Structure formats: structure tokens, C-alpha cells
Amino acid sequence: MALGASRGSIVALVLREVAAMLAVGSAIGAAVALALTGLAGKMLFGITTTQPGVFALAAVVLAVAALAAGWFPARRASCVDPMVALRHD
């Protein structure tokens, strides 16, 4: 903000980084979850090896939590006066 960025661009920058981490983490997590569903099916009774509804619900819940975890601090950081932040460092 001290170099001319708007509050919205600061929030967008942080949320883009969170979304990138979320995409990588979701891809890795989905691959591991699909790899381990066979093991869970053998150990637990009544579990099918692929339940897309469960995978989708878990992905949505984690995405909402990750975006909220990034949005609240980004919003707070965008409200800080740049001169106060520069003096603090």
C-alpha cells in the first residue's frame, strides 16, 4: 500500500496465494485419499471404495476453511496504515 496498491489488490494478492496452496494441497490430498480408499474398504465394514460425495464435501469444507483463514488476516492487513507498518519495521 505504501507503493500505491489498493486495499482490494492486497486482499486479492493474499487470496490468490491461498488459492494456489489450496489447489496443490487438494490435488495431493485427493490422490492420497484415492490411494488409501482400498485400505479403508478392507478395514471398515460398509465402506465403498469410491464415494464421490464424501470427497466433494471434504474438498468444499476445506476450501471454505482455507479461504476464510486467508481472508481474515488479509482484510486486517489491508486496514493497517502503511506509515505505521513502515515505522514498526
Side-chain angles (χ1 to χ4, degrees), residues 34-35 40 42 54 57 61 64 77 87:
L34 286 173
K42 292 177 186 176
V54 173
L57 180 64
V61 168
V64 168
R87 271 191 224 121

Side-chain angles (χ1 to χ4, degrees), residues 7-66:
R7 292 176 192 239
S9 64
I10 299 294
V11 173
L13 173 72
V14 173
L15 289 181
R16 274 194 305 271
E17 291 180 11
V18 168
M21 288 186 281
L22 177 63
V24 171
S26 294
I28 293 170
V32 171
L34 286 173
L36 294 178
T37 54
L39 179 64
K42 292 177 186 176
M43 298 177 75
L44 300 171
F45 179 73
I47 301 275
T48 61
T49 56
T50 55
Q51 293 181 344
V54 173
F55 285 118
L57 180 64
V60 168
V61 168
L62 289 174
V64 168

Side-chain angles (χ1 to χ4, degrees), residues 1-14 73-86:
M1 287 177 52
L3 297 176
S6 67
R7 292 176 192 239
S9 64
I10 299 294
V11 173
L13 173 72
V14 173
R75 188 77 178 133
R76 178 186 266 174
S78 70
C79 293
V80 172
D81 182 36
M83 290 309 293
V84 172
L86 289 173

